[in-house]
Amino acid sequence: MFLFRRSRPRVSVDQARSRTSGDTPDAILLDVREKPEWNAGHAPGAVHVPLSKLVAGAGLPTEATGRPLVVICRSGHRSQQAAKLLTERGAQAVDVKGGMNAWAAAGHPVLDERGNHGQIA
């Protein structure tokens, strides 16, 4: 029954940025969009692993292993799936409400694959 389904923890884009940036971030920002989306624009310092690879059994990159994860995608749907999958695998993971669309709308930086101003695709 839907009334009893527990929702997973979610964070705002401001909380995500606060937790994953600065000199001593307490979490890794994990972007689970596909490569063309990542190349067009992603958050500085984010780590990239497409959801499709996670679903296929791929592990996390070294810099994300054993760290709390803040998972982001374009709108928040894939990141919810990824956070659930990663939590089931034993990771501490939350997803970002609104994804990169909300990140960019909040005025947070977005870089393309060359480090220039990017866009959300």
Side-chain angles (χ1 to χ4, degrees):
M1 184 175 228
F2 291 112
L3 294 174
F4 299 107
R5 186 178 355 179
R6 281 187 51 198
S7 62
R8 301 224 173 263
R10 303 189 87 191
V11 297
S12 70
V13 292
D14 292 333
Q15 291 169 319
R17 185 168 187 214
S18 174
R19 288 193 61 195
T20 62
S21 62
D23 292 335
T24 54
D26 73 353
I28 298 292
L29 185 62
L30 182 68
D31 192 319
V32 296
R33 296 174 300 147
E34 295 301 317
K35 188 170 178 117
E37 295 171 289
W38 165 267
N39 288 344
H42 57 272
V47 173
H48 181 231
V49 179
L51 176 60
S52 59
K53 291 190 179 202
L54 288 173
V55 168
L60 294 170
T62 304
E63 64 267 36
T65 303
R67 300 278 313 274
L69 303 170
V70 176
V71 186
I72 197 165
C73 65
R74 185 182 57 205
S75 64
H77 181 71
R78 286 175 284 179
S79 60
Q80 283 184 302
Q81 294 175 320
K84 179 180 186 289
L85 176 71
L86 291 164
T87 299
E88 289 170 353
R89 291 182 184 173
Q92 183 182 348
V94 296
D95 83 287
V96 180
K97 292 183 279 189
M100 287 300 297
N101 287 333
W103 179 278
H108 299 316
V110 176
L111 302 176
D112 69 10
E113 63 185 315
R114 294 180 189 97
N116 299 316
H117 178 73
Q119 62 184 0
I120 307 308

